[in-house]
Amino acid sequence: MSHFDVSAVQADFPILKRLIRGNNRLVYLDSGATSQKPISVLDAEREFYTQHNAAAHRGAHQLAEEATEIFEAARGKVAAFIGAKVDEVVFTKSATESINLVAYSFGNADLGTKFHIKAGDRIVVSEMEHHANLIPWQELAKRTGAELVWLSVTDDGRLDLSNAERIINAKTKVVALTHQSNVLGTINPINEIAKYVRNVGALFVLDACQSVPHYAVDVKELDVDFIAFSGHKMLGPTGVGVLWGKQELLDEMPPFLTGGSMIETVTMESASYLPAPKRFEAGVPNMAQAVGLGAAVDYLNRIGMEKIHQHEVELTKACIERLSQIPQLKIVGPTDMELRGGVVSFTLDGIHPHDLGQALDQYGIAVRTGHHCAWPLMKKYRVVATTRASLYLYNDLADVEALVTGVERARDYFLGR
Amino acid sequence: MSHFDVSAVQADFPILKRLIRGNNRLVYLDSGATSQKPISVLDAEREFYTQHNAAAHRGAHQLAEEATEIFEAARGKVAAFIGAKVDEVVFTKSATESINLVAYSFGNADLGTKFHIKAGDRIVVSEMEHHANLIPWQELAKRTGAELVWLSVTDDGRLDLSNAERIINAKTKVVALTHQSNVLGTINPINEIAKYVRNVGALFVLDACQSVPHYAVDVKELDVDFIAFSGHKMLGPTGVGVLWGKQELLDEMPPFLTGGSMIETVTMESASYLPAPKRFEAGVPNMAQAVGLGAAVDYLNRIGMEKIHQHEVELTKACIERLSQIPQLKIVGPTDMELRGGVVSFTLDGIHPHDLGQALDQYGIAVRTGHHCAWPLMKKYRVVATTRASLYLYNDLADVEALVTGVERARDYFLGR
Amino acid sequence: MELDSLYQEVILEHYKRPQNKGLLPNQTVQVHHVNTSCGDEITLNLKMINGTIAEISWDGVGCSISQASTSVVSELLKGKDSAAALAIIDTFQAMLQSKGSDLGDESVLEDGVAFAGVAKFPARVKCALLGWMATKDAISQSLALTSNVKKEQR
Amino acid sequence: MELDSLYQEVILEHYKRPQNKGLLPNQTVQVHHVNTSCGDEITLNLKMINGTIAEISWDGVGCSISQASTSVVSELLKGKDSAAALAIIDTFQAMLQSKGSDLGDESVLEDGVAFAGVAKFPARVKCALLGWMATKDAISQSLALTSNVKKEQR
Ligand SMILES: Cc1ncc(COP(=O)(O)O)c(C=O)c1O
Ligand SMILES: Cc1ncc(COP(=O)(O)O)c(C=O)c1O
């Protein structure tokens, strides 16, 4: 386990020194919900505010020039991180906004354009989607009369592609899928699915919330049209997300939010719009947050995404192995490391996840319990909720051991009495 | 000029110590675009990240509990600041999003509900709107077939209400107006206009971007239905805005962004939604930014909005008086202090605002030049652009003097050669 | 240890042997409540006779706190009239929202005071309230039914 | 002083006495360009004769930089053929986007080198390019016209 110096990484995250419920070391295993932030990200934001703060793209004075340059440099960093062109990176407030942006923009598209969705068209999602990549499509389907159809999941937590060709049929205009499930840890075979999508000429939207933070993602290699992810899950600040889209698509799509800084000309009657990314960034942007995200990307690059991935794979493997030794425990999701990320969901016979999570919290271990914003998936697997441990670069084997010991203690606490 | 200790205030804003274009003191007169931030706001964000960061409303562990509590406390502060109930405060990413939220939500409303807009209905704005409070309504009108109509401005920069009763007629479903013009400084007589709006039973949306940061605004006194404003213009972080709406309206309106944390139940086919504010806050929220905005509100309260307003009125008065002594200079907007805020736009004969702004920047003075995202207003007054100085609590008479001297120097530089 | 202050013996008892679990027929009102943040669900049947709670039966899935607290409320309110029942529910709710300052009146809440510790865990307050809010809702609905019947009779 | 490095004498000269300002008739192509961040506008007429720029005339409102630079380009490209004109425009654009490292070749850009200082003021680069981009657009459109005519003749 020497891909990089994990204890040096831990030292960069001040919150890891916190004591929980009295005197317990914080064992943070909830990075799938939101990651912690290194000092360098906080410093980048502070430096922006104390040295360069002004409205980017809106002033000719020195601070405004500097703010513009630093903000655009952050865009450049994010673009390079995912192998994109700089103008293909749109800053949003979150992955949720990114996906809604695409769905609303499609909904705004004129009849006859390739984005227009109408009754008879089909939108395809999957049973393992986070609500953020499900409900916007339900709503778009409702508004347009299109049909919402989905790929199922198999009992071992994989996407069922056996009927993919029937589901992704000629009527299909959009396929919206998650890159990695935030519950199961499953990584979906995007290039394979892309073939079905391309065959029918549909648009492919990828929810990359759980992939971009954890392993190298290159949009040129993924054969998709849009990807969405959040800054706060990849060491960045809250309040910033990213939509990447192919330039020729972004430049043709109708805008979503309208207002200042995204217009070409405006009269009282109507307005015309700038090309992407500005077209989709109405208003004074979330400058400090974009800058913080740029610093997060610098941090991840300094460690190296390949090493981070290796580290997480080893930890996850250990985590699954050790948890599986607890007789009452059932892993929900794949138990092999083939196409699998560092998210481990499980149930414990006779103990509700809420109670388990509460006990773990008492020992300083932060996990997520509940439906994980993937309620249909819970119903599919006939569980009310699961307990989820999610790993990141600052976790180590001691954290995994703490989890396992914690689960055993909790079990004995509830079932032993 | 002793409403409060301005130099003590200045000491709280580290950026004011910056030197510009060599060795000039920064004279920041662009707070109308974005304000500077006191250390206490930056510290509040940092403390959130280094002590309590976790996904609010999504976890049962201690950090998640703390994050939820601190985030909701910020909502409470903002609510108290504008005299609202806590559940009436929706955190958005910006005023631009707040206004778009309302427009899109109306657009999503079912036929028969009070928010539904259709062909034959009327949406009323004014000629002095910022693009953020104009284009969303143009687009809504386009999508629904409604008619967009507007109140004019008079030559002296006031809203022309002489035909208000004809403009705001029985067909009118929405009136969207700015509280204070970001170009002219004009404060509109909202209570007076509200009478026309109430007479016809329309919904009243107020763009409070330039009012809430500068003087006490109480939503109970304003007879409006929604107000929108941005955190970054009131000492808060970028990436956070507010929508206030009457509770009974917010609870009935369809959602805008959909995704996690705003749902009641979800199946593959459809979802039902929580009441406001959660209904309108899909996804992991901009927690640190909301917390920073809470700290900004604390800071403003510590000085006192009444004192801040008095201070700005005196500065603005001095600014208008002194600028008016420059023969080539023309103020665009009211020159008396009756219903007027601290934004002063002007033109200088023979010198384009871009050139003037450039020269001022060279002397360390940051102003805004251009159309100020109010292009139709520029056309109305037959100017290409104006130069705008906007004042805030950290400005003083020395800043006003610097501006006047700077304008004179610039005039001599361009016209004297 | 703080975990014990949350998981009182009484709570774990009710969790293991929940009272009135399993829906009984002939209810006056049936309600279905969901804890939207975790997915826990409860269905509750309320049978009123002459303005008095004759029977509360329920079914559902949930954590120990929500199961035990539903068990407690279903026992506690049996035989009470609507007004008294609603008052007790309010007392319970106030205790849970007190952040730990209100330890509950055992003469009113009986086993319900065991949930006083939950108030210190904000994320769990909803669990403890799930069954109680369902009961409150059911009582309100049954009152509305009665007043409708009365109106019709007039 | 840095202001002088931006506002070179040559620029202020052109600003005060702009060349070819006022639209001439009989243009091959007319274009209208806007600087979306400040509202400056320009209309430009291009007259081509046998693939050579016979005349550039223009009108519009704008700052000294945009007015002067349009004046310069309208003089400089007169008599050049399309290819040469486009190459000169590219050279100018490269200089302005160099952030100050490219001082411009006076033998190619003539008065245009006076705008080298603008490259250090990113917000003003668009001003200096407004007339040049309009000219580039007009030349491209005239080339498209010619090739369409040729296609029709075939
Ligand atoms: C009057 C007015 N409305 C709306 C806005 C838009 O605010 P933001 O860009 O923060 O969304 C601004 C500021 O730019 C403004 O001055
Ligand atoms: C797979 C997936 N999609 C979408 C989201 C939504 O991200 P956010 O809440 O940051 O918008 C999340 C995280 O919550 C996620 O895990």
Side-chain angles (χ1 to χ4, degrees):
Chain A
M1 199 81 78
S2 53
H3 301 287
F4 53 87
D5 183 347
V6 181
S7 63
V9 165
Q10 289 166 345
D12 293 331
F13 293 77
I15 204 171
L16 297 179
K17 296 190 190 74
R18 263 219 50 179
L19 295 180
I20 296 295
R21 302 285 182 212
N23 220 5
N24 298 294
R25 167 174 95 81
L26 169 63
V27 178
Y28 189 75
L29 298 173
D30 197 15
S31 297
T34 197
S35 74
Q36 298 304 340
K37 328 296 174 198
I39 277 288
S40 63
V41 166
L42 308 184
D43 285 346
E45 279 205 84
R46 183 171 282 244
E47 180 173 328
F48 178 82
Y49 284 129
T50 58
Q51 297 298 319
H52 315 288
N53 179 65
H57 297 298
R58 287 202 188 178
H61 54 78
Q62 186 177 357
L63 294 182
E65 268 180 13
E66 291 172 2
T68 306
E69 205 162 298
I70 297 168
F71 175 59
E72 290 303 327
R75 192 191 308 279
K77 289 177 186 182
V78 172
F81 190 64
I82 57 170
K85 292 186 225 160
V86 64
D87 283 349
E88 296 178 331
V89 168
V90 176
F91 285 121
T92 61
K93 72 171 177 178
S94 63
T96 298
E97 186 196 342
S98 300
I99 297 167
N100 276 273
L101 186 167
V102 176
Y104 272 107
S105 173
F106 289 0
N108 288 341
D110 289 330
L111 189 78
T113 66
K114 76 159 116 337
F115 309 108
H116 184 77
I117 312 257
K118 58 183 185 311
D121 289 342
R122 183 174 265 206
I123 299 169
V124 174
V125 296
S126 90
E127 269 181 344
M128 63 164 81
E129 297 313 314
H130 187 280
H131 295 160
N133 199 32
L134 170 62
I135 312 180
W137 305 112
Q138 290 180 346
E139 290 288 335
L140 179 63
K142 215 169 67 181
R143 281 199 296 277
T144 57
E147 180 193 24
L148 187 76
V149 191
W150 51 89
L151 296 162
S152 313
V153 291
T154 63
D155 287 342
D156 56 344
R158 300 287 179 182
L159 214 52
D160 180 359
L161 294 176
S162 62
N163 60 352
E165 214 150 358
R166 236 186 38 227
I167 301 279
I168 303 171
N169 67 5
K171 293 178 179 174
T172 307
K173 294 295 290 288
V174 183
V175 177
L177 269 190
T178 192
H179 197 172
Q180 178 187 311
S181 162
N182 67 313
V183 178
L184 309 168
T186 314
I187 300 173
N188 290 317
I190 301 307
N191 285 299
E192 186 183 337
I193 300 163
K195 288 183 198 134
Y196 299 107
V197 182
R198 295 309 170 203
N199 266 344
V200 299
L203 292 161
F204 197 173
V205 182
L206 193 70
D207 175 352
C209 273
Q210 299 288 342
S211 56
V212 165
H214 298 282
Y215 33 91
V217 168
D218 188 313
V219 294
K220 293 187 299 297
E221 285 166 24
L222 289 173
D223 186 15
V224 301
D225 298 302
F226 302 94
I227 79 173
F229 56 97
S230 277
H232 69 89
K233 292 187 202 276
M234 54 188 285
L235 313 187
T238 60
V240 60
V242 171
L243 172 69
W244 167 84
K246 287 195 182 146
Q247 186 147 27
E248 61 274 25
L249 296 176
L250 289 179
D251 281 344
E252 278 180 45
M253 280 160 59
F256 167 47
L257 300 181
T258 55
S261 295
M262 51 80 74
I263 55 93
E264 213 168 64
T265 58
V266 184
T267 65
M268 285 309 293
E269 289 87 2
S270 70
S272 61
Y273 304 112
L274 291 170
K278 290 216 178 96
R279 169 175 307 193
F280 300 104
E281 293 180 0
V284 172
N286 44 3
M287 298 174 290
Q289 292 73 44
V291 169
L293 180 55
V297 162
D298 286 343
Y299 191 94
L300 291 169
N301 281 333
R302 215 148 51 227
I303 310 290
M305 291 310 290
E306 192 45 49
K307 287 183 184 164
I308 291 171
H309 178 55
Q310 287 309 325
H311 174 70
E312 288 182 25
V313 164
E314 286 179 31
L315 279 188
T316 308
K317 215 169 141 194
C319 185
I320 292 176
E321 266 170 30
R322 294 284 288 109
L323 284 176
S324 304
Q325 288 160 9
I326 301 175
Q328 300 84 351
L329 190 143
K330 219 164 19 244
I331 305 259
V332 181
T335 49
D336 59 311
M337 285 310 298
E338 187 65 25
L339 279 178
R340 196 197 195 294
V343 162
V344 184
S345 274
F346 55 91
T347 57
L348 201 63
D349 284 348
I351 305 182
H352 189 281
H354 248 184
D355 294 320
L356 177 58
Q358 191 78 52
L360 291 177
D361 176 42
Q362 208 59 51
Y363 316 143
I365 306 162
V367 293
R368 174 99 184 269
T369 62
H371 54 59
H372 313 293
C373 301
W375 211 331
L377 191 65
M378 298 292 115
K379 286 174 191 152
K380 170 75 177 199
Y381 288 122
R382 294 203 181 75
V383 295
V384 202
T386 74
T387 301
R388 179 188 77 179
S390 49
L391 301 155
Y392 209 1
L393 73 167
Y394 37 64
N395 293 121
D396 57 19
L397 273 178
D399 293 343
V400 170
E401 279 312 312
L403 172 69
V404 174
T405 313
V407 170
E408 287 169 343
R409 267 178 83 184
R411 175 199 58 194
D412 296 344
Y413 181 81
F414 288 107
L415 301 185
R417 289 221 272 195
Chain B
M1 198 82 79
S2 54
H3 301 288
F4 53 87
D5 183 347
V6 180
S7 63
V9 165
Q10 288 166 346
D12 292 332
F13 292 77
I15 204 170
L16 297 179
K17 296 190 191 73
R18 266 229 35 191
L19 296 179
I20 296 295
R21 300 285 184 213
N23 220 5
N24 299 295
R25 168 174 96 80
L26 169 62
V27 178
Y28 189 75
L29 298 174
D30 197 16
S31 297
T34 198
S35 74
Q36 298 304 340
K37 328 295 174 198
I39 277 287
S40 63
V41 166
L42 308 184
D43 284 348
E45 279 206 84
R46 183 171 283 244
E47 181 173 327
F48 177 82
Y49 283 130
T50 58
Q51 297 299 319
H52 313 289
N53 179 65
H57 297 299
R58 287 203 188 177
H61 54 77
Q62 187 177 357
L63 293 183
E65 267 180 15
E66 291 172 1
T68 306
E69 206 163 298
I70 296 169
F71 174 59
E72 290 303 328
R75 192 190 309 279
K77 289 178 188 182
V78 172
F81 190 63
I82 56 169
K85 292 186 224 160
V86 64
D87 283 348
E88 295 178 330
V89 169
V90 176
F91 285 120
T92 61
K93 71 171 176 178
S94 62
T96 299
E97 186 195 342
S98 300
I99 297 168
N100 276 273
L101 186 167
V102 176
Y104 271 105
S105 172
F106 289 1
N108 288 341
D110 289 331
L111 189 79
T113 66
K114 75 160 118 332
F115 309 107
H116 184 76
I117 312 259
K118 58 181 184 312
D121 289 342
R122 182 175 266 207
I123 300 168
V124 174
V125 295
S126 91
E127 268 181 344
M128 63 164 83
E129 297 313 313
H130 187 281
H131 294 160
N133 199 32
L134 170 61
I135 313 181
W137 304 112
Q138 290 179 346
E139 291 287 336
L140 179 63
K142 214 168 70 181
R143 281 198 297 276
T144 56
E147 180 193 22
L148 187 76
V149 191
W150 51 90
L151 296 161
S152 313
V153 291
T154 63
D155 286 343
D156 57 342
R158 300 286 177 183
L159 214 53
D160 179 1
L161 294 176
S162 63
N163 60 353
E165 212 150 0
R166 237 187 37 228
I167 301 278
I168 303 171
N169 67 4
K171 292 178 179 175
T172 307
K173 294 296 290 286
V174 184
V175 177
L177 270 191
T178 192
H179 198 174
Q180 178 187 311
S181 162
N182 67 313
V183 178
L184 309 169
T186 313
I187 299 174
N188 290 318
I190 300 308
N191 284 299
E192 187 184 337
I193 300 163
K195 288 183 197 135
Y196 298 108
V197 183
R198 296 309 171 204
N199 266 344
V200 300
L203 292 161
F204 197 172
V205 182
L206 194 70
D207 175 353
C209 272
Q210 299 289 343
S211 57
V212 166
H214 298 282
Y215 33 91
V217 168
D218 188 313
V219 294
K220 293 187 299 295
E221 285 165 24
L222 290 172
D223 186 16
V224 301
D225 298 303
F226 302 94
I227 78 172
F229 55 98
S230 276
H232 69 88
K233 292 186 203 276
M234 53 188 285
L235 313 187
T238 60
V240 60
V242 171
L243 173 70
W244 167 84
K246 286 195 182 146
Q247 186 147 24
E248 62 273 24
L249 296 175
L250 289 179
D251 281 345
E252 277 179 47
M253 280 161 58
F256 167 48
L257 301 181
T258 55
S261 296
M262 51 78 75
I263 56 93
E264 211 167 68
T265 57
V266 183
T267 65
M268 283 310 291
E269 290 86 1
S270 70
S272 61
Y273 304 113
L274 291 170
K278 289 216 178 94
R279 170 176 306 193
F280 300 104
E281 292 180 1
V284 172
N286 44 1
M287 298 174 289
Q289 292 73 44
V291 169
L293 179 55
V297 162
D298 286 343
Y299 190 94
L300 291 170
N301 281 334
R302 216 149 47 226
I303 310 290
M305 291 310 289
E306 192 47 49
K307 287 183 184 163
I308 291 171
H309 178 55
Q310 287 309 327
H311 174 70
E312 289 183 26
V313 164
E314 284 179 33
L315 279 188
T316 308
K317 216 171 142 193
C319 186
I320 292 177
E321 266 171 29
R322 295 283 287 108
L323 284 176
S324 303
Q325 288 159 8
I326 302 175
Q328 298 84 352
L329 190 143
K330 221 166 16 247
I331 305 258
V332 181
T335 49
D336 59 312
M337 286 308 299
E338 186 66 25
L339 279 178
R340 196 197 195 295
V343 162
V344 184
S345 274
F346 55 93
T347 58
L348 202 63
D349 284 347
I351 306 183
H352 190 282
H354 248 184
D355 293 320
L356 177 59
Q358 192 77 53
L360 291 177
D361 178 41
Q362 209 58 52
Y363 316 141
I365 305 161
V367 294
R368 174 98 185 268
T369 63
H371 53 57
H372 313 292
C373 301
W375 211 331
L377 191 64
M378 298 292 113
K379 287 174 192 152
K380 169 78 177 195
Y381 288 122
R382 293 203 181 75
V383 294
V384 202
T386 73
T387 301
R388 179 188 76 180
S390 49
L391 300 155
Y392 210 2
L393 72 168
Y394 37 64
N395 293 121
D396 57 20
L397 274 179
D399 293 344
V400 170
E401 278 312 313
L403 171 69
V404 174
T405 312
V407 171
E408 286 169 343
R409 267 177 84 184
R411 175 199 56 192
D412 296 343
Y413 181 82
F414 287 108
L415 301 186
R417 290 221 273 194
Chain C
M1 181 217 175
E2 263 194 76
L3 209 52
D4 292 336
S5 81
L6 178 63
Y7 293 106
Q8 307 255 327
E9 206 55 57
V10 176
I11 295 180
L12 294 178
E13 271 309 309
H14 274 278
Y15 179 45
K16 284 179 191 158
R17 275 171 288 280
Q19 304 298 301
N20 306 306
K21 192 165 175 180
L23 292 170
L24 297 174
N26 303 322
Q27 73 279 11
T28 315
V29 167
Q30 178 170 91
V31 295
H32 183 75
H33 277 219
V34 177
N35 184 336
T36 61
S37 56
C38 66
D40 287 357
E41 304 191 33
I42 189 183
T43 305
L44 185 142
N45 283 356
L46 172 77
K47 186 162 166 186
M48 301 288 294
I49 297 181
N50 295 332
T52 296
I53 296 174
E55 221 169 65
I56 298 175
S57 65
W58 59 280
D59 211 345
V61 285
C63 62
S64 59
I65 304 289
S66 76
Q67 295 275 301
S69 116
T70 308
S71 171
V72 168
V73 72
S74 69
E75 270 299 285
L76 181 63
L77 299 189
K78 217 181 288 180
K80 303 277 190 301
D81 67 26
S82 316
L86 289 174
I88 293 171
I89 293 173
D90 285 349
T91 312
F92 185 77
Q93 195 172 353
M95 175 183 83
L96 276 160
Q97 288 166 348
S98 76
K99 299 196 167 180
S101 68
D102 174 356
L103 295 177
D105 180 345
E106 194 164 355
S107 71
V108 177
L109 296 177
E110 301 181 12
D111 278 2
V113 295
F115 296 87
V118 178
K120 279 180 273 166
F121 298 85
R124 305 305 296 281
V125 168
K126 271 194 194 165
C127 309
L129 287 177
L130 184 63
W132 294 68
M133 291 301 105
T135 307
K136 185 175 180 175
D137 183 14
I139 297 172
S140 307
Q141 288 190 31
S142 83
L143 288 174
L145 275 180
T146 326
S147 79
N148 282 343
V149 171
K150 278 193 192 137
K151 274 187 215 143
E152 277 165 32
Q153 287 171 339
R154 265 187 280 165
Chain D
M1 183 214 173
E2 263 196 78
L3 208 52
D4 292 335
S5 81
L6 177 63
Y7 293 107
Q8 307 255 327
E9 206 55 57
V10 175
I11 295 181
L12 293 179
E13 269 311 309
H14 274 278
Y15 179 45
K16 283 178 193 160
R17 274 171 289 279
Q19 304 297 301
N20 307 305
K21 192 164 175 180
L23 292 171
L24 296 175
N26 302 322
Q27 73 279 9
T28 315
V29 168
Q30 179 170 91
V31 296
H32 182 77
H33 277 220
V34 178
N35 183 336
T36 61
S37 56
C38 65
D40 288 356
E41 303 192 33
I42 188 183
T43 306
L44 185 143
N45 283 356
L46 172 77
K47 187 164 167 187
M48 302 287 294
I49 298 180
N50 294 332
T52 297
I53 296 174
E55 221 169 66
I56 298 174
S57 64
W58 59 279
D59 211 344
V61 285
C63 62
S64 59
I65 304 289
S66 77
Q67 295 275 302
S69 116
T70 309
S71 171
V72 167
V73 71
S74 69
E75 271 299 285
L76 182 62
L77 299 189
K78 217 182 284 181
K80 302 276 192 300
D81 67 26
S82 318
L86 290 173
I88 293 171
I89 294 173
D90 285 350
T91 312
F92 185 79
Q93 195 173 352
M95 176 182 83
L96 276 159
Q97 289 166 348
S98 76
K99 300 197 166 177
S101 68
D102 175 355
L103 295 178
D105 181 345
E106 194 165 355
S107 71
V108 177
L109 296 177
E110 301 182 13
D111 278 2
V113 294
F115 297 87
V118 179
K120 279 180 272 165
F121 298 86
R124 304 305 296 281
V125 168
K126 270 193 194 165
C127 309
L129 286 177
L130 184 64
W132 293 68
M133 292 300 104
T135 306
K136 186 175 178 173
D137 184 15
I139 296 172
S140 307
Q141 288 190 31
S142 83
L143 289 174
L145 276 180
T146 327
S147 80
N148 282 342
V149 170
K150 279 194 190 136
K151 272 186 216 143
E152 276 164 31
Q153 288 171 338
R154 265 185 281 167

